Amino acid sequence: MPEIEYGDDGIPTAIDGKYSNIKVCSSDDAIKSLYSIKSLMKINDPKSEFKLDKYTKFDGTDIYFLDQTYNNIKIEGKWLQINVEEGNIIDIGGDYDANLNLDSTPK
């Protein structure tokens, strides 16, 4: 069972352990894995709310850095990091706004 850390707002800031059975071999798979925990993390639609910023590999761990977006606009400083070993999720963490509601109409 994964261990969950919560922020002051009651939204998870980290999940240590496997939270999805999806084999992660790409950034698309990493984003798909968020559907398993979207209600817990108060994410409406992971595919439209997160985009790959960068991918790296360190010491056998695949690391996917995802930027939070709103209407395809990157939200500065809001992100998730998903760590994967041999296709299996080992943890996730980050700083994102679960209640994001912005007016993105150009003025």
Side-chain angles (χ1 to χ4, degrees), residues 28 31-32 34-35 38 43-52 67 69 72:
D28 286 340
I31 292 169
K32 283 180 196 172
L34 296 175
Y35 284 92
K38 75 178 204 158
I43 298 170
N44 292 318
D45 182 20
K47 189 172 182 176
S48 68
E49 294 178 50
F50 291 93
K51 305 288 184 228
L52 180 69
D67 285 331
T69 61
N72 287 321

Side-chain angles (χ1 to χ4, degrees), residues 17-81:
K18 185 176 179 179
Y19 63 81
S20 174
N21 290 327
I22 291 178
K23 279 285 200 200
V24 177
C25 301
S26 68
S27 61
D28 286 340
D29 294 339
I31 292 169
K32 283 180 196 172
S33 76
L34 296 175
Y35 284 92
S36 302
I37 54 171
K38 75 178 204 158
S39 61
L40 172 69
M41 297 187 72
K42 309 274 190 278
I43 298 170
N44 292 318
D45 182 20
K47 189 172 182 176
S48 68
E49 294 178 50
F50 291 93
K51 305 288 184 228
L52 180 69
D53 174 44
K54 69 178 178 178
Y55 162 82
T56 189
K57 191 171 188 96
F58 178 76
D59 205 22
T61 301
D62 296 302
I63 305 169
Y64 297 90
F65 295 94
L66 307 175
D67 285 331
Q68 185 174 13
T69 61
Y70 187 82
N71 291 341
N72 287 321
I73 300 168
K74 176 183 172 180
I75 306 303
E76 194 65 37
K78 300 299 179 184
W79 54 276
L80 288 175
Q81 176 182 328

